[in-house]
Amino acid sequence: MVKLGSMRNKFYVTTPIYYANAEPHIGSAYATLSADIIARYYRIVYGKENVLSLVGTDEHGQKIAEEAKKKGVEPKLYVDSLVPTFKDAWGSLNIDFDIFMRTTDPLHENEASEVIQKIFDKGNIYEGVYEGLYCVGCEKFLTEKDLVNGRCPLHPDKEPIYQKERNYFFKLKNFQNNLIELFESDKVAILPKYRKKEILNRIREGLEDISISREGVSWGIPVPWNKSHTIYVWVEALLNYYTATKTREDWGGFWPANLHIVGKDIIWFHTVIWCALLLAADIPLPKVVFGHGFLTLAGQKISKSLGNVITPKELIDKYGVDGTRYLMATAATFGEDRNIGDGEFDEKYQADLANGLGNLVARIEVLAEKIDYVADSEIPEINPKMAGAIERYELDKGLELIKSWITGLDKYLNQEKPWEKNASESKLILRTIIKGAEGIKSIKEIASSLRPYLPTTAEEILKRFSGEVKKGPILFPRLV
Ligand code: MSP
């Protein structure tokens, strides 16, 4: 739980910036929705002005340049054409972000090259030759250990390319002990805990210096001291979390970030590489890096390259915005992989939303209307158990709690059968039920606690239960 006064009452949460080469699918949108839930929660607790949430697009590098070439357009025009797709997708999912950062934004380009210059000036960068395999899909060099059947396991459809070029190298090796200390002590916490273990084990196997520039890729930010190279796309992309806080003067105070949410495939970049770069540039370090798992369908990661994409729009058309947010937020234990079963979304929607929350609201409305109940307009606080779940980043658990409260209330109403009471006895009994912990009080607490997850539905329920209560339209229509 938030202990007021014991920590700084500001919260800065980030999502990965997506490659601007395809519209988001429910796997890639998963981090964005999770960050939105957390940001909305802290806006309620700390106040809107004390929360910063960042989303954005990763627009440079070989992958984007190749895609643009295939389409026969300049890379900048290509990414310009894709950015609205992301903004629309986030708008349709009701993602309330504060900054949409594009890495082609001149502010980002300038700030990122300043940081790289600083790292260079401090003697952490040297020139060398890189020779090895490169996966354009991941935009990263592959080691023998990364390969499965000679290919990148995340892009089995693409042959890794052999690369030999002059590059600038970052002295990652020098930071090995420092990183071990940081992660062991949780000064930078890696969550869930098992990912911290994995990262620490890998660091202990020994770090190698990494290439941080590309000579053969012109679509990028020029290396400030040698403009014939561009900064390696991952390095400048990571820097967006920092450069974004420079987009408005009063946002500077949000650094360091409280929470970076990322997929497990990019947690190495966000812990080892990211923290080493920040150390090298003398920039304060983030507090938590949370690596979530993959959503899979029929055992396969949802991804554009595997061709099994479900877009948020497809779900929204069927389940509505909040229905989709609910289904995505409960799709997995936050942090772990999860295979989405056939028909699972339909079943869950019907059980938890149409027959669960929606039906409970309708039942209480009917009962309240029967006795002309006028509710107060107070909005209760978020339930402490819910607050605890969100602050521990147990996002799916928060909704489990709601489900159990709904089941409890339903059970109570089924036992008491208040609708069977006759007119004379009913007023008093109904009044007690409706007013008390089994009625409006609980439904309002449920709605209040749901605000970070299902903002529109929560507001609607709170509105319906303030003032005169009347039966309103169905919240979650049954699927036909
Ligand atoms: N551009 C980089 C991130 C740079 S951040 C400084 C990138 N982009 S991405 O578009 O390929 O992936 C973005 C995120 O989507 C990653 O965190 C990745 O884990 C996540 N996901 C992509 N497919 C996913 C699933 N099927 N399930 C859950 N998350 C998945 O990497």
Side-chain angles (χ1 to χ4, degrees):
M1 275 292 291
V2 176
K3 283 184 217 78
L4 293 176
S6 68
M7 54 168 82
R8 108 191 145 141
N9 289 346
K10 269 187 186 300
F11 202 89
Y12 177 27
V13 56
T14 72
T15 69
I17 50 170
Y18 300 96
Y19 289 122
N21 70 340
E23 75 177 299
H25 53 73
I26 59 164
S28 53
Y30 185 58
T32 311
L33 175 64
S34 310
D36 187 58
I37 293 167
I38 294 166
R40 283 175 182 275
Y41 168 77
Y42 279 106
R43 283 193 196 107
I44 295 168
V45 180
Y46 288 166
K48 199 171 163 37
E49 65 290 357
N50 292 318
V51 174
L52 192 63
S53 80
L54 168 71
V55 301
T57 36
D58 193 351
E59 304 187 1
H60 289 128
Q62 189 168 351
K63 169 162 159 157
I64 300 289
E66 284 180 7
E67 297 274 340
K69 198 165 167 204
K70 263 195 246 159
K71 300 266 174 355
V73 284
E74 284 302 310
K76 180 63 168 57
L77 287 180
Y78 175 64
V79 290
D80 282 351
S81 73
L82 271 144
V83 165
T85 322
F86 282 87
K87 290 192 171 162
D88 289 351
W90 302 154
S92 69
L93 267 175
N94 201 2
I95 305 293
D96 187 9
F97 55 82
D98 298 295
I99 312 178
F100 190 106
M101 195 70 194
R102 299 182 56 180
T103 54
T104 52
D105 184 325
L107 180 138
H108 169 80
E109 296 182 342
N110 292 336
E111 295 285 343
S113 64
E114 261 184 41
V115 176
I116 292 300
Q117 181 71 53
K118 201 167 158 197
I119 297 176
F120 180 73
D121 293 344
K122 286 173 174 282
N124 291 307
I125 290 175
Y126 62 93
E127 203 178 344
V129 173
Y130 193 94
E131 190 175 359
L133 292 175
Y134 190 84
C135 171
V136 179
C138 294
E139 289 280 19
K140 75 172 190 192
F141 289 105
L142 301 171
T143 62
E144 281 301 318
K145 265 193 271 167
D146 295 324
L147 301 176
V148 174
N149 301 325
R151 296 197 167 194
C152 163
L154 291 178
H155 298 94
D157 56 326
K158 287 197 188 97
E159 185 96 39
I161 47 176
Y162 170 75
Q163 200 101 52
K164 182 175 179 185
E165 55 174 36
R166 288 208 75 70
N167 280 177
Y168 288 99
F169 284 77
F170 171 60
K171 294 181 181 169
L172 182 63
K173 240 194 264 182
N174 284 2
F175 294 90
Q176 178 156 335
N177 292 338
N178 224 329
L179 290 171
I180 291 177
E181 198 274 321
L182 274 176
F183 299 144
E184 258 180 353
S185 65
D186 290 331
K187 278 184 200 134
V188 176
I190 304 176
L191 294 175
K193 286 272 182 253
Y194 50 86
R195 299 213 194 281
K196 163 177 159 177
K197 251 195 216 151
E198 283 166 17
I199 297 285
L200 278 166
N201 287 344
R202 248 183 92 185
I203 302 176
R204 288 198 186 96
E205 283 170 19
L207 295 177
E208 294 298 328
D209 293 346
I210 56 159
S211 154
I212 54 135
S213 75
R214 298 294 310 276
E215 198 179 23
V217 178
S218 59
W219 178 235
I221 304 176
V223 169
W225 61 91
N226 180 350
K227 302 236 162 30
S228 63
H229 289 238
T230 54
I231 302 172
Y232 171 40
V233 62
W234 258 105
V235 168
E236 57 121 328
L238 286 165
L239 280 165
N240 96 93
Y241 303 129
Y242 176 69
T243 64
T245 64
K246 308 271 179 184
T247 52
R248 233 173 68 176
E249 214 173 301
D250 53 330
W251 281 340
F254 278 99
W255 191 261
N258 296 72
L259 173 66
H260 294 309
I261 299 183
V262 301
K264 63 175 188 176
D265 53 334
I266 58 174
I267 197 163
W268 179 258
F269 278 109
H270 280 84
T271 50
V272 175
I273 315 272
W274 181 218
C275 291
L277 289 168
L278 291 172
L279 285 169
D282 227 350
I283 296 174
L285 298 155
K287 307 275 179 230
V288 178
V289 182
F290 190 103
H292 66 72
F294 285 162
L295 300 183
T296 61
L297 285 175
Q300 283 206 307
K301 180 180 176 230
I302 302 169
S303 91
K304 184 188 165 212
S305 28
L306 297 174
N308 60 349
V309 158
I310 303 179
T311 62
K313 187 176 177 308
E314 286 170 66
L315 295 190
I316 292 167
D317 287 346
K318 191 164 183 192
Y319 308 110
V321 179
D322 279 352
T324 302
R325 289 175 65 103
Y326 185 91
L327 296 172
M328 285 178 60
T330 53
T333 301
F334 194 50
E336 289 172 25
D337 290 342
R338 175 81 207 297
N339 189 46
I340 296 166
D342 245 4
E344 176 182 320
F345 283 160
D346 277 7
E347 271 170 40
K348 208 191 274 177
Y349 173 89
Q350 297 278 40
D352 297 359
L353 297 176
N355 298 334
L357 178 63
N359 191 44
L360 178 67
V361 167
R363 280 173 111 179
I364 297 182
E365 277 173 343
V366 169
L367 294 172
E369 193 174 357
K370 209 166 147 187
I371 53 163
D372 302 318
Y373 193 78
V374 179
D376 61 42
S377 56
E378 226 169 90
I379 299 179
E381 288 196 354
I382 292 180
N383 180 289
K385 282 192 183 153
M386 170 63 99
I390 298 181
E391 287 177 21
R392 291 189 301 273
Y393 309 129
E394 296 173 348
L395 298 186
D396 54 300
K397 292 245 167 60
L399 290 178
E400 281 298 316
L401 283 169
I402 298 272
K403 202 169 135 181
S404 69
W405 295 332
I406 291 173
T407 314
L409 277 176
D410 268 336
K411 211 168 135 198
Y412 179 84
L413 291 178
N414 290 342
Q415 270 164 11
E416 295 298 309
K417 301 191 176 35
W419 50 88
E420 286 181 359
K421 311 281 182 237
N422 65 40
S424 57
E425 62 177 343
S426 76
K427 278 245 154 133
L428 190 65
I429 297 172
L430 271 179
R431 201 159 268 284
T432 323
I433 291 174
I434 291 307
K435 226 174 117 176
E438 295 79 20
I440 290 180
K441 194 160 168 269
S442 297
I443 200 78
K444 280 178 94 166
E445 192 181 72
I446 288 177
S448 168
S449 304
L450 267 175
R451 282 179 292 168
Y453 291 91
L454 313 183
T456 312
T457 309
E459 288 305 325
E460 171 68 16
I461 299 174
L462 289 169
K463 204 170 85 201
R464 288 192 194 183
F465 290 106
S466 76
E468 208 178 321
V469 183
K470 290 230 163 332
K471 169 102 176 64
I474 292 173
L475 285 176
F476 296 100
R478 294 204 161 76
L479 299 173
V480 280

